[in-house]
Amino acid sequence: MKFSGADERPTPRAVPAPADRSRPTVPPRSDRSGLTLLEVLLVLAVMVLMAAVTMPILNGTFEGRKLRRAADVIRADWGRARVQAIRTGVEWAFVYEPGTGRYTIAQYSPYQPPTIPSSITPEEQRNFDYGDGLLPVGVRFDQGQTASDSRSDALLGDGGGSGGGAGGSTGARGAAASGGGPMTILFYPDGTAQQTQLRLVNDRNWYVQLDLRGLTGTASVSEVLAIDNGGTR
């Protein structure tokens, strides 16, 4: 009896031919592609261009906020001088030096008018200094007009620091240029004050204006404006 699978033999397995070592082997191709030097340089150029465009904008925003913040600090110091005058029953003074960032508030005496401490110098200004008699770096007092009245005339005398001479007011710039020195704003025990307009300016020719109302002794602050055209920056 013969089985159908008796004569079947296993098929011989094919043996691969030995590799030819004389030929250089080619590495397998990768789907990941790298950046060329030109592409890297283009990316860097775009980043530099974006930084050049955005940095002045960011810096301008910072300078504007610093100017407005300095004005808010001066307004707060005016309020403090008004409260002290009411509480103590005597006049208090805000004394500032045009063209600089130096100022002080103190009780006023016609026999010994308050002066700005000599320990405070413009070289001590810093970007984030607010109050304590010094404005931040780059911010300074510019134009100011303070109206004289019968009480200021009696206390300060003719042009005695507040600019209360003929015409009832004077500009801080004119006082500084003529050697008038520091300017004085008086706060009275009844809560009133000398009517005043005062500008703070920075190196970009931007300014904010503070308006001190004489009858109420309260102040307001304008938006940040440009000196060149008088409009919003």
Side-chain angles (χ1 to χ4, degrees):
M1 187 175 180
K2 188 177 180 180
F3 294 96
S4 60
D7 295 336
E8 293 181 0
R9 296 180 180 179
T11 304
R13 184 180 301 176
V15 179
D20 188 0
R21 298 183 179 276
S22 62
R23 296 181 180 180
T25 57
V26 179
R29 296 185 62 183
S30 173
D31 294 335
R32 183 179 178 181
S33 59
L35 294 175
T36 65
L37 178 60
L38 179 60
E39 290 172 331
V40 172
L41 292 177
L42 286 176
V43 171
L44 292 177
V46 171
M47 292 176 63
V48 171
L49 180 62
M50 292 178 62
V53 171
T54 58
M55 283 302 294
I57 298 175
L58 295 177
N59 188 46
T61 301
F62 171 72
E63 293 296 329
R65 289 183 179 274
K66 184 168 67 171
L67 187 61
R68 180 57 189 262
R69 172 61 178 158
D72 288 338
V73 170
I74 295 301
R75 177 172 59 177
D77 282 338
W78 282 356
R80 186 157 61 97
R82 177 177 178 270
V83 169
Q84 291 284 31
I86 296 172
R87 186 179 65 83
T88 60
V90 296
E91 291 79 11
W92 274 63
F94 176 88
V95 183
Y96 67 96
E97 188 175 83
T100 74
R102 302 171 60 215
Y103 71 94
T104 189
I105 61 171
Q107 182 175 321
Y108 184 81
S109 170
Y111 305 105
Q112 189 175 4
T115 57
I116 300 174
S118 58
S119 59
I120 300 174
T121 63
E123 289 75 17
E124 295 173 341
Q125 285 180 301
R126 297 293 182 270
N127 272 325
F128 299 100
D129 285 344
Y130 295 102
D132 296 330
L134 197 63
L135 296 177
V137 63
V139 179
R140 61 189 181 276
F141 296 103
D142 187 45
Q143 297 178 355
Q145 291 185 337
T146 300
S148 63
D149 52 46
S150 58
R151 290 175 293 184
S152 66
D153 288 342
L155 290 169
L156 299 171
D158 266 344
S162 71
S169 65
T170 188
R173 184 193 298 272
S178 62
M183 305 289 287
T184 301
I185 304 170
L186 291 178
F187 294 83
Y188 304 116
D190 60 0
T192 60
Q194 286 185 276
Q195 186 91 10
T196 299
Q197 288 184 337
L198 179 61
R199 279 186 179 184
L200 303 183
V201 299
N202 65 9
D203 296 333
R204 289 175 172 261
N205 282 334
W206 295 348
Y207 75 93
V208 291
Q209 180 167 302
L210 295 98
D211 290 285
L212 178 62
R213 301 176 183 89
L215 290 178
T216 61
T218 58
S220 61
V221 179
S222 73
E223 296 297 324
V224 179
L225 304 172
I227 294 177
D228 296 336
N229 53 20
T232 304
R233 60 180 176 84

